[in-house]
C-alpha cells in the first residue's frame, strides 16, 4: 500500500481510538487516528470510519482520499489505491511530455493514461505540466488528457479527479474505448497496469487482496499479461517519437522491455531505489535518441 498519509494538525485523537487501531495492527495508529478525526464530519461518521478501518479496509478508501504527488486524490470504495512508488512514473512522464510541447501556437501534446484507476497518474501529470493553478481565471490545460479503465467504479472516480485537467475518461479494455482519431497522435502513453503474478495475489496485504479489484492487481502467470498487450499495440497509437511508460518491478523489467522491443519500440529503463520503483520506457523509432 502507499506510505502513511501526512499527519494533520487537528486535535489529538481519542486514546481509545488509537488503542483500537493499534490492536487491529495499524502500525501508524496515532497518525491514522488523527486523519480519521480530521476527516469525519460527525461522531457517528468517525465511529463508522473507525469500524471500517479496523475491519481491514484501506485507510485511503475509508478517508475517501489519498495524498499523491502533493494532490488530494479522491478514492472510492473498491477502487485501486494509488501507491507512493508510482510518483516516480509521474516524474518520468512529466519530463518526457515537456519535451513534446509544441509551444503556445501549436497543438497540445496528447497524453493517454491506460488502466487509470482513480486517475491519480493523469491528475498528477497534468498538475506537474500545467503548474500551480492561478488565483484568477484558470489557464487552458497544456496537454490533451485521455484515460481508460475497465472498472466502472474506477471510471467514475477518475472522472472526478481529472475534471480540473479537462481529462476525458472512457470505460473499457485498454485502447478499445479510445477515440479512433487518436491513433498515431499520442505523444505519451503512461500505464500502471496490474503486474502481480496470479500466484502471488495471496501474498499481498489483506487491504489490497480483499478490498481492491482483482483486475487491478492480477497480471497473469508471470505478471506481464497486460503489459504485453499494451506494448503490442502501442506503436499504432503513438505519434512519431512518442513514448510508452509502464511501471514494473526490477525483476520483471527485462521482460517488460523485451515486450516493448517486440512491439517495435526502442527501450530503456529508469529506477528509484528510495521508492523501490522501476519504469520501462519505450520510444517510437522515428524519435528515438
Amino acid at each position: 500500500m502507499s506510505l502513511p498519509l501526512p499527519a494533520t494538525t487537528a486535535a489529538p485523537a481519542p486514546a481509545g481510538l488509537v488503542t483500537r487501531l493499534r490492536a487491529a495492527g495499524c502500525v501508524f495508529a496515532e497518525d491514522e487516528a488523527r486523519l480519521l478525526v480530521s476527516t469525519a464530519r460527525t461522531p457517528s461518521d468517525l465511529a463508522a470510519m473507525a469500524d471500517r478501518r479496523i475491519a481491514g479496509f484501506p485507510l485511503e478508501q475509508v478517508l475517501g482520499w489519498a495524498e499523491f504527488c502533493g494532490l488530494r486524490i479522491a478514492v472510492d470504495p473498491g477502487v485501486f489505491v494509488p501507491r507512493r512508488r508510482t510518483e516516480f512514473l509521474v516524474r518520468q512522464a512529466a519530463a518526457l511530455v515537456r519535451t513534446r510541447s509544441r509551444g503556445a501556437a501549436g497543438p497540445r501534446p496528447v497524453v493517454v493514461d491506460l488502466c487509470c484507476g482513480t486517475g491519480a497518474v493523469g491528475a498528477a501529470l497534468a498538475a506537474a505540466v500545467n503548474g500551480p493553478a492561478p488565483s484568477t481565471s484558470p489557464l487552458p490545460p497544456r496537454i490533451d488528457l485521455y484515460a481508460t479503465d475497465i472498472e466502472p467504479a474506477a471510471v467514475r472516480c477518475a472522472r472526478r479527479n481529472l475534471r480540473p485537467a479537462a481529462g476525458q475518461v472512457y470505460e473499457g479494455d485498454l485502447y478499445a474505448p479510445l477515440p479512433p482519431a487518436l491513433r498515431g497522435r499520442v505523444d505519451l502513453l503512461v500505464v500502471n497496469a496490474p503486474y502481480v503474478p496470479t500466484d502471488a495475489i495471496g501474498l499481498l496485504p489483506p487491504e489490497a487482496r480483499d478490498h481492491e479489484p482483482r483486475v487491478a492487481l492480477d497480471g497473469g502467470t508471470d505478471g506481464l499479461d497486460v503489459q504485453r498487450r499494451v506494448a503490442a499495440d502501442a506503436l499504432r497509437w503513438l505519434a512519431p517519437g512518442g513514448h510508452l511508460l509502464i511501471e514494473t518491478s526490477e525483476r520483471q523489467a527485462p521482460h517488460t522491455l523485451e515486450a516493448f522491443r517486440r512491439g517495435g519500440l526502442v527501450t530503456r529503463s529508469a529506477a528509484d531505489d528510495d521508492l523501490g520503483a522501476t519504469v520501462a520506457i519505450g520510444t517510437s523509432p522515428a524519435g528515438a535518441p
Side-chain angles (χ1 to χ4, degrees):
M1 304 300 292
S2 57
L3 296 177
L5 294 164
T8 85
T9 56
L17 175 57
V18 174
T19 300
R20 291 180 66 202
L21 291 170
R22 188 176 292 118
C26 300
V27 176
F28 302 97
E30 292 85 355
D31 289 341
E32 292 196 13
R34 284 194 291 268
L35 285 163
L36 292 171
V37 168
S38 68
T39 302
R41 292 170 295 181
T42 65
S44 60
D45 278 350
L46 177 59
M49 292 168 69
D51 287 346
R52 292 184 70 230
R53 179 59 180 142
I54 289 165
F57 286 84
L59 175 65
E60 295 87 348
Q61 290 183 7
V62 174
L63 295 173
W65 58 272
E67 192 277 331
F68 184 79
C69 289
L71 303 177
R72 182 174 285 203
I73 300 294
V75 179
D76 293 338
V79 176
F80 181 81
V81 176
R83 272 53 164 175
R84 187 62 55 85
R85 64 175 172 270
T86 306
E87 293 183 354
F88 182 64
L89 174 65
V90 173
R91 294 202 298 269
Q92 294 294 308
L96 288 172
V97 79
R98 290 188 187 104
T99 70
R100 304 289 293 175
S101 177
R102 301 176 180 90
R108 294 187 294 265
V110 175
V111 176
V112 173
D113 179 4
L114 295 183
C115 307
C116 68
T118 61
V121 170
L125 181 56
V129 174
N130 293 337
S135 57
T136 56
S137 299
L139 297 173
R142 296 177 185 171
I143 59 174
D144 286 337
L145 179 60
Y146 303 83
T148 73
D149 201 283
I150 200 169
E151 276 285 312
V155 170
R156 291 192 295 270
C157 190
R159 283 176 177 155
R160 290 160 55 204
N161 286 318
L162 295 182
R163 191 174 297 123
Q168 300 182 50
V169 187
Y170 300 90
E171 181 182 333
D173 185 32
L174 300 181
Y175 303 101
L178 289 172
L182 291 181
R183 288 178 184 160
R185 295 183 47 232
V186 178
D187 294 283
L188 193 74
L189 279 168
V190 59
V191 189
N192 186 15
Y195 58 96
V196 180
T198 301
D199 288 346
I201 296 292
L203 304 177
L204 293 175
E207 293 173 319
R209 188 177 68 233
D210 297 337
H211 300 290
E212 292 183 317
R214 176 99 178 198
V215 71
L217 302 170
D218 192 342
T221 302
D222 64 355
L224 302 178
D225 283 0
V226 182
Q227 293 189 3
R228 290 190 187 96
R229 292 178 56 216
V230 171
D233 284 340
L235 205 56
R236 289 200 308 146
W237 292 87
L238 288 173
H243 306 285
L244 166 64
L245 290 85
I246 292 183
E247 179 176 296
T248 189
S249 71
E250 181 180 12
R251 178 182 59 82
Q252 293 165 314
H255 307 288
T256 303
L257 293 173
E258 176 59 26
F260 281 20
R261 286 189 286 270
R262 290 180 180 176
L265 304 176
V266 176
T267 65
R268 64 183 177 91
S269 63
D272 184 306
D273 292 337
D274 291 336
L275 289 175
T278 302
V279 173
I281 303 169
T283 304
S284 173

